[in-house]
Amino acid sequence: MGDSSDSVSIAIDMVPFGGKEFLVKTSRGSLSVFVCGDQEKPALITYPDVALNYMSCFQGLFVCPDADSLLLQNFCIYHIDAPGHELGANVISSDVPLLSVVDLADQVAEVLDFFGLERVLCLGVTAGAYILTLFAMKYTERVLGLILVSPVCKAPTWTEWLYNKVLMNLLYFYGMCGVLKECLLQRYFSKELRNGMHGAESEIVQACLKLLDERRSPNVMRFLQAINRRHDLTDDLKKLQCKTLVFVGDCSPFHAESVHMSTKIGRKNCTLVEVKACGSLVTEEHPLAMLVPMEFFLMEFGFQRQAHIGSSSSNGSNPSSPSSIAPELLSPEGLGIKLKPIKTRAASSY
């Protein structure tokens, strides 16, 4: 990549929607930000999970039916990649200091300054959800709302800490090897999807593997190391002043922690949606299941869908259609929009 004002050349068949990539120089190093849409519109920022970038983490959500009318027509999307996770990234020099999770959250604030953004909605997945939660705690006046997918909020358990150490050793000695990729797939997807029970779904895994091959192992190791040193946010979660929508797959290894987090944020401001037969990466595995809850959540901020809901499907198989989601999910009250707590499961299938 070149100067921050230059767009980056990316294979056209890999970009699901138009946009421009910026290299934002912060006090803690440079970040790639892929901007989609009219920058005069309200801002929605995204942050992906470990070893993923915006394409491998959010493409499924943004290209699925009805996403255009709900998200792309209402917002300008700012996809922030973790340092060195963008397409064509160079290896970050070993002389560059390792960043902490606080540093990564501060980088997000500097990205907002770069684009002149005052307040934003945030969408993050697991490690990215942690970074954006920390950002929302530290810069409360700059966050309208949080949409968190399979988030974590505690410090790593000894088991997770040791497991991540093994992953870092694999990255250091062997790079993005087959064993490491299998470990990451277990982090992202349900067993059913990984086993390729359905042809269309196995393509998701294959696409993810292809994009993982393009990651720079030392850069992934740096992000994983930061997340492995994260601190516990539990005691401060009730200080969050923004509305929060939490999605988690019931097959996610972070399911219990996501439920814990939604409980600690409090019934007043947090809504939990559990997605059946899904791993952590709901945005890719079952993105259609996210649309109806997100629509009611965004209504709280005055955003409306530009087209009739479920217009892309008439056979009832679309998980975003009212017939396939629990009735209580289809009212703003049921989603907690009027400060009423809920815990519901959104069934989803392709």
Side-chain angles (χ1 to χ4, degrees):
M1 293 184 301
D3 182 79
S4 62
S5 63
D6 296 331
S7 60
V8 175
S9 176
I10 301 175
I12 191 66
D13 61 338
M14 298 185 67
V15 181
F17 33 78
K20 185 176 181 180
E21 189 168 16
F22 294 82
L23 185 63
V24 179
K25 296 179 180 179
T26 75
S27 61
R28 296 163 180 81
S30 298
L31 280 181
S32 170
V33 182
F34 195 81
V35 181
C36 304
D38 182 357
Q39 291 182 244
E40 296 299 317
K41 292 182 178 180
L44 170 65
I45 65 171
T46 73
Y47 210 112
D49 192 18
V50 168
L52 301 176
N53 62 10
Y54 77 93
M55 288 181 59
S56 49
C57 195
F58 299 104
Q59 177 174 286
L61 173 63
F62 282 95
V63 303
C64 73
D66 296 327
D68 181 84
S69 60
L70 181 61
L71 299 175
L72 300 179
Q73 296 299 320
N74 280 314
F75 300 99
C76 181
I77 315 298
Y78 297 80
H79 293 292
I80 302 174
D81 283 335
H85 279 56
E86 69 275 10
L87 289 173
N90 295 319
V91 173
I92 299 174
S93 171
S94 58
D95 295 332
V96 176
L98 291 171
L99 299 183
S100 68
V101 289
V102 175
D103 292 329
L104 295 174
D106 288 339
Q107 277 189 320
V108 174
E110 292 190 55
V111 168
L112 267 60
D113 292 339
F114 177 88
F115 290 105
L117 305 175
E118 295 184 1
R119 301 189 73 189
V120 297
L121 282 163
C122 302
L123 169 61
V125 176
T126 310
Y130 180 94
I131 299 300
L132 292 181
T133 301
L134 187 58
F135 167 72
M137 290 177 170
K138 191 171 183 180
Y139 301 92
T140 56
E141 72 285 353
R142 308 196 74 169
V143 179
L144 285 172
L146 287 170
I147 303 173
L148 308 176
V149 181
S150 303
V152 292
C153 65
K154 299 179 182 178
T157 62
W158 281 109
T159 302
E160 183 191 348
W161 182 88
L162 183 60
Y163 185 77
N164 287 340
K165 281 289 187 181
V166 171
L167 297 185
M168 285 186 275
N169 283 332
L170 287 172
L171 284 164
Y172 183 81
F173 289 107
Y174 302 103
M176 193 61 71
C177 60
V179 173
L180 178 66
K181 287 189 284 188
E182 180 59 33
C183 292
L184 290 173
L185 291 180
Q186 292 178 18
R187 176 187 179 96
Y188 305 146
F189 301 117
S190 65
K191 182 178 180 180
E192 290 74 16
L193 185 68
R194 298 196 311 272
N195 291 343
M197 294 178 63
H198 307 287
E201 292 183 334
S202 65
E203 293 177 4
I204 299 173
V205 174
Q206 293 303 316
C208 183
L209 288 171
K210 181 179 179 181
L211 289 167
L212 285 176
D213 284 334
E214 299 174 359
R215 295 284 78 76
R216 300 290 189 179
S217 299
N219 300 351
V220 175
M221 187 166 61
R222 293 169 70 93
F223 189 21
L224 186 58
Q225 188 165 354
I227 292 301
N228 211 33
R229 294 177 175 178
R230 69 184 187 269
H231 54 278
D232 195 333
L233 301 179
T234 301
D235 291 341
D236 294 323
L237 286 174
K238 289 192 175 181
K239 297 179 182 178
L240 281 174
Q241 299 178 10
C242 60
K243 296 291 182 66
T244 304
L245 176 62
V246 174
F247 291 96
V248 63
D250 63 1
C251 300
S252 167
F254 307 105
H255 176 269
E257 187 161 351
S258 297
V259 174
H260 164 82
M261 182 175 179
S262 65
T263 302
K264 292 300 180 179
I265 292 176
R267 298 176 174 181
K268 178 180 179 180
N269 286 329
C270 186
T271 295
L272 171 67
V273 179
E274 296 176 80
V275 183
K276 293 181 180 178
C278 188
S280 300
L281 204 55
V282 185
T283 51
E284 292 295 314
E285 189 165 352
H286 287 313
L288 288 172
M290 299 179 63
L291 293 180
V292 169
M294 287 180 66
E295 178 172 10
F296 283 122
F297 180 74
L298 294 175
M299 285 170 58
E300 173 70 11
F301 306 99
F303 299 107
Q304 300 287 336
R305 180 188 293 275
Q306 302 301 312
H308 185 268
I309 187 168
S311 59
S312 62
S313 176
S314 59
N315 60 7
S317 62
N318 185 340
S320 68
S321 65
S323 61
S324 59
I325 297 180
E328 62 270 22
L329 190 61
L330 298 176
S331 67
E333 293 82 1
L335 275 170
I337 298 301
K338 294 186 177 179
L339 308 185
K340 179 179 178 181
I342 70 145
K343 177 180 177 182
T344 184
R345 293 178 180 268
S348 57
S349 60
Y350 276 92

